[in-house]
Amino acid sequence: MKTLRLRPGKERSLLRRHPWIFESAIAKGGGDSGETVRVESGDGKFLAWAAFSPTSRIRARVWSFDESQRIDATFFVASCANAIRTRARFDLKSDGVRLIHGESDGLPGLIVDRYGDTLVAQFTSAGTERWKGVIADALLEQTGLAHLYERSDASVRALEGLEPATGWLRGGVAAAGKDAPPLELTIREHQWQLTLNIAEGHKTGFYLDQRDSRKRFADYVQRLNLRRVLNCFCYTGGFSVAALAGMAAAEQAGGQGGGEVVSIDSSGPALERARAHVSLNGFDPARAQFMDADVNASLREFLKDGKRFDAIVLDPPKFAPTAAHAERAARAYKDINRLALQLLSPGGVLFTFSCSGGISADLFHKIVASAGADAGVDGYILERLGGAQDHPMTLEFPEGEYLKGLVVMRKG
Ligand code: SAH
């Protein structure tokens, strides 16, 4: 068994059950890519079993803190079973579910999403790459499903020295007389139908983490009768559909009719799908406008034209993947938030998000506050939002809190 000896005093985070071992903490030892190593303190005491990543700054990721645990097929079956069983205890209003969320589920570098009867997995660490076949079998066994697609094309794989890998991992070959499984899928989220393509969509095809915030947005649009809605970084229009649903519900309840959603994204295919989602869900296409444009430039245009909105969503891509990018990212977040707050009508509501691991909830709050100060806009923070429960945060891994949001109501 290969070992990894830490430098004296470097065991502290492991004793708190944090699963990462940085290159700088290591005195000696190592293994092959993804190989299981015994991690020891400077004085030789057992700390953890971990997967070695020869090229990453995160040089090893912990599988278990239990010395008697064997890291073998049985371990992966049990870990997958635990994560999947836990999902049944979460409050998930969709048949698109994140079954395994990496470190939070004790499986660093593994993401598994279930879309109806199809599984999509992303292997982003040397350890999960090494155990890929075993994990794939465990997933099928524990879900009873047959189709597993791989989307290991996240850029972080390069840090692990791994090439991108995509395609069917299990159940992709057409059985005799049967068609190959579809890449194009439909899920039901709350009362909405949403489509995705597991080969071409972002991440594993869809942003499942925003499920609850979309519903929350629909609730606000309905309750406050918000009629001029702007959805920035709309991707395939999840928040746009939510807004239209909120408007429809308000009308049914006797609220004022009318209302329009403007959605902006710079991806043509995403916009096409967003547009299709409007009619798929039975809403009037005339009430949804889609713009293939840069959000920053569009917000400036709107201001120049004196436009105002009653509800705005800002859900940008990851501006700061790590803390090292935080400063530049903070400026970018502040810019769009300042513009959005200026565009918001008095009493209007901003749903603003950051999915950057490098921006803490506290820092994000400060950024939005300082955007408000620059905009000369006062606001109430009505709610703090986070990722849906199937993207869990855990006590021991604070980095799991990557998605944070604020609901701000403009005073006036
Ligand atoms: N809110 C979406 C997810 C947003 S993901 C949902 O609920 O599904 C971020 C989106 O921002 C992507 O679709 C990407 O195409 C888009 N994007 C990135 N940079 C952009 C820019 N400068 N202007 C407009 N859209 C941008």
Side-chain angles (χ1 to χ4, degrees):
M1 178 55 63
K2 302 214 177 135
T3 60
L4 204 59
R5 174 72 64 97
L6 300 192
R7 306 212 334 243
K10 291 295 183 186
E11 67 278 10
R12 263 192 301 255
S13 69
L14 286 172
L15 293 175
R16 287 198 310 266
R17 303 174 77 82
H18 188 281
W20 290 352
I21 299 152
F22 285 94
E23 179 192 2
S24 55
I26 296 170
K28 62 176 185 189
D32 295 335
S33 182
E35 191 175 356
T36 303
V37 291
R38 180 191 161 91
V39 185
E40 299 178 346
S41 61
D43 55 3
K45 289 203 189 69
F46 172 86
L47 293 168
W49 299 112
F52 191 67
S53 289
T55 67
S56 173
R57 223 164 56 79
I58 303 174
R59 196 48 60 92
R61 290 175 172 79
V62 173
W63 292 131
S64 173
F65 293 99
D66 174 0
E67 189 167 12
S68 66
Q69 177 68 57
R70 284 177 56 120
I71 307 306
D72 54 13
T74 310
F75 166 79
F76 288 100
V77 169
S79 301
C80 291
N82 274 337
I84 292 165
R85 199 175 327 113
T86 308
R87 284 352 186 231
R89 301 175 66 84
F90 293 162
D91 183 23
L92 307 173
K93 301 278 192 302
S94 177
D95 58 1
V97 173
R98 173 146 303 184
L99 293 182
I100 297 180
H101 189 56
E103 280 78 354
S104 299
D105 288 302
L107 292 166
L110 179 66
I111 296 295
V112 181
D113 290 336
R114 173 181 183 156
Y115 299 113
D117 290 342
T118 303
L119 297 171
V120 186
Q122 202 165 64
F123 301 83
T124 60
S125 63
T128 49
E129 178 71 16
R130 190 168 177 117
W131 289 97
K132 192 187 281 183
V134 164
I135 292 170
D137 292 338
L139 288 168
L140 296 194
E141 186 191 306
Q142 292 305 313
T143 57
L145 300 177
H147 306 298
L148 170 63
Y149 194 83
E150 177 175 18
R151 274 299 299 272
S152 301
D153 53 353
S155 57
V156 288
R157 259 175 82 92
L159 303 176
E160 300 279 311
L162 304 171
E163 297 289 323
T166 57
W168 288 107
L169 210 52
R170 294 287 184 272
V173 184
K178 278 199 183 161
D179 290 337
L183 299 171
E184 187 70 25
L185 303 174
T186 303
I187 58 167
R188 173 199 47 78
E189 179 178 282
H190 308 292
Q191 67 271 44
W192 312 315
Q193 305 255 31
L194 297 162
T195 68
L196 59 127
N197 187 298
I198 55 173
E200 288 163 10
H202 292 181
K203 306 211 285 186
T204 65
F206 193 71
Y207 290 88
L208 292 170
D209 50 0
Q210 288 287 31
R211 178 194 310 122
D212 296 345
S213 295
R214 291 188 196 106
K215 177 69 169 76
R216 210 74 198 106
F217 190 62
D219 293 346
Y220 272 89
V221 168
Q222 173 183 359
R223 188 167 56 81
L224 299 175
N225 218 332
L226 305 172
R227 291 166 59 236
R228 294 168 296 176
V229 177
L230 176 63
N231 180 11
C232 300
F233 308 99
C234 70
Y235 187 52
T236 57
F239 281 99
S240 313
V241 168
L244 292 165
M247 287 175 188
E251 276 164 33
Q252 260 168 21
Q256 213 169 355
E260 195 199 29
V261 185
V262 177
S263 307
I264 312 175
D265 204 280
S266 55
S267 155
L271 285 166
E272 218 171 284
R273 195 176 287 279
R275 197 173 276 124
H277 281 156
V278 174
S279 15
L280 179 65
N281 287 280
F283 301 122
D284 179 0
R287 291 172 65 168
Q289 187 195 332
F290 293 94
M291 296 172 57
D292 188 343
D294 173 69
V295 164
N296 208 295
S298 306
L299 294 178
R300 285 169 207 280
E301 276 300 296
F302 290 151
L303 263 185
K304 219 170 61 202
D305 297 346
K307 283 225 164 104
R308 290 293 176 271
F309 295 93
D310 306 319
I312 301 179
V313 179
L314 284 181
D315 185 21
K318 214 183 324 188
F319 288 158
T322 71
H325 306 80
E327 206 172 304
R328 189 150 43 103
R331 275 197 297 276
Y333 282 117
K334 185 172 156 186
D335 255 0
I336 53 171
N337 278 281
R338 176 176 50 77
L339 294 164
L341 285 166
Q342 284 176 309
L343 284 167
L344 207 58
S345 59
V349 172
L350 170 67
F351 271 54
T352 181
F353 298 94
S354 162
C355 61
S356 294
I359 304 271
S360 67
D362 188 41
L363 176 56
F364 185 57
H365 187 144
K366 289 198 177 101
I367 292 168
V368 177
S370 115
D374 282 13
V377 169
D378 291 336
Y380 298 103
I381 296 176
L382 300 185
E383 287 185 56
R384 292 167 184 276
L385 302 174
Q389 286 183 2
D390 51 346
H391 299 60
M393 287 186 265
T394 58
L395 296 172
E396 62 282 2
F397 186 66
E399 291 86 345
E401 188 186 14
Y402 68 102
L403 177 61
K404 41 252 146 188
L406 293 172
V407 181
V408 182
M409 179 185 275
R410 183 172 175 159
K411 287 191 183 176

